[in-house]
Amino acid sequence: MVAHTEPLGASMNAKILGSGPTTVVLAHGFGGDQSVWDKIVPSLVQSNCQVLVFDWAFSGATEAVPSPYDPARHASYDGFASDLVSLLEEMMVKSVVFVGHSMSGMIGCLASIKRPQLFQRLVLLCASPRYVNTDDFQGGFEDSDVEKLISSMESDYAAWATGFSGLVVDPNHPASADKFCKCLLLMRPEVAIPLAKTVFYSDHRDILGDVTVPCQIVHATNDIVVPNSVALYMQTHIGAGKSTLEMMEIDGHFPQMTAPGQLIAVLRSLLPGASGGLAVGHIGAGARCAVEL
């Protein structure tokens, strides 16, 4: 493999938008790229904070040659966590509010354990430490479910991407499902398939107790990927960091695409330096439920 020498920020398409005393880092999940935050970024930029967006090494949006994706290094979340720490240092940001969607939630937890001083708060958006059920943990998937998912990817990746995007994105938002599908299709199958195995067979329950950075767990009440019980589990097992659970009464795994107003309202409550321009919608009674430990 050719050594990757390009600055990490350039190879990961990293850019900082806006300005202000608080830096918000938006990290997409499996199959996505930074475009999944398009409905969130403008309101954040209009507020009194700066926003860092980037594409993970596996994303089809990264065009660096050679690719920053290393099959060995990125066979575990630890490689991504090291990338995140290096990126934050290279971009010279610290004490950030890190918003990690899906797999990026656990990546953020690992990075915060490595370098807690880089993080002011973690926002774990539809995140999970484990996806496969055990006798004492309901992750949402049986082993056979994951085996079928991987088999479908291997047999016809394009058809799988179309079907999967329609399942995980709120069906009332077909444009968002189509956008996520296009992101999936930009990924090379030889990257997407082993990464899917890494994600769906991961188990990071044992590191939750080592997290000391305050955490906001933000969960969609009807998420086909991550059941509500997982959010409750994380809240009770995260370590010394104060954890709060925010349940948003929405469908699907992508609140940033299908319910941006609700998510922005949650983020606004976490950003002490945010201006009123961040609020784009009112969350009515019963739309969210906050539980604090």
Side-chain angles (χ1 to χ4, degrees):
M1 176 175 291
V2 179
H4 189 271
T5 58
E6 184 177 15
L8 197 60
S11 65
M12 296 173 69
N13 301 326
K15 54 181 176 280
I16 292 179
L17 306 168
S19 62
T22 302
T23 300
V24 180
V25 179
L26 302 176
H28 66 82
F30 171 81
D33 59 41
Q34 62 183 264
S35 70
V36 302
W37 302 107
D38 283 353
K39 295 179 181 179
I40 299 293
V41 170
S43 292
L44 288 173
V45 169
Q46 291 169 16
S47 71
N48 189 30
C49 62
Q50 63 178 359
V51 182
L52 170 60
V53 291
F54 64 92
D55 298 315
W56 286 117
F58 62 77
S59 170
T62 58
E63 299 178 346
V65 178
S67 170
Y69 179 77
D70 183 328
R73 187 166 186 266
H74 295 117
S76 74
Y77 283 10
D78 190 68
F80 292 105
S82 295
D83 284 353
L84 177 59
V85 169
S86 297
L87 178 65
L88 297 181
E89 291 176 337
E90 182 181 300
M91 302 298 285
M92 294 186 290
V93 294
K94 60 183 178 180
S95 192
V96 306
V97 174
F98 177 81
V99 184
H101 176 240
S102 199
M103 67 178 284
S104 286
M106 290 303 105
I107 293 172
C109 286
L110 286 167
S112 77
I113 294 169
K114 292 175 181 286
R115 293 290 303 279
Q117 66 271 29
L118 290 175
F119 300 87
Q120 175 187 146
R121 180 179 292 272
L122 302 177
V123 180
L124 310 179
L125 179 62
C126 299
S128 176
R130 180 184 172 96
Y131 294 91
V132 177
N133 301 331
T134 67
D135 290 340
D136 60 353
F137 180 81
Q138 191 69 21
F141 294 82
E142 298 293 343
D143 277 316
S144 58
D145 296 326
V146 178
E147 290 169 2
K148 290 176 183 177
L149 182 148
I150 300 299
S151 178
S152 295
M153 295 178 75
E154 293 172 336
S155 63
D156 189 337
Y157 181 75
W160 169 82
T162 301
F164 185 72
S165 58
L167 282 174
V168 299
V169 180
D170 183 349
N172 293 313
H173 295 265
S176 293
D178 182 62
K179 182 172 187 172
F180 180 55
C181 181
K182 290 177 180 177
C183 290
L184 285 170
L185 292 173
L186 284 175
M187 286 183 71
R188 291 177 288 130
E190 61 268 29
V191 171
I193 294 170
L195 181 62
K197 294 177 182 179
T198 296
V199 172
F200 286 101
Y201 287 119
S202 65
D203 189 349
H204 294 96
R205 291 175 295 172
D206 61 336
I207 64 100
L208 294 178
D210 297 326
V211 176
T212 59
V213 175
C215 295
Q216 180 87 4
I217 302 163
V218 182
H219 190 71
T221 54
N222 192 20
D223 183 347
I224 194 173
V225 179
V226 184
N228 295 342
S229 58
V230 171
L232 293 166
Y233 178 93
M234 288 195 298
Q235 187 189 19
T236 57
H237 286 78
I238 284 174
K242 183 178 180 181
S243 64
T244 302
L245 171 59
E246 193 86 28
M247 302 292 290
M248 299 195 301
E249 293 185 3
I250 60 173
D251 296 333
H253 190 59
F254 288 83
Q256 68 272 52
M257 299 176 74
T258 62
Q262 292 186 38
L263 180 57
I264 288 170
V266 172
L267 294 179
R268 185 187 185 195
S269 69
L270 304 176
L271 303 174
S275 68
L278 187 60
V280 299
H282 173 68
I283 298 182
R288 49 188 276 219
C289 176
V291 181
E292 186 170 310
L293 287 183

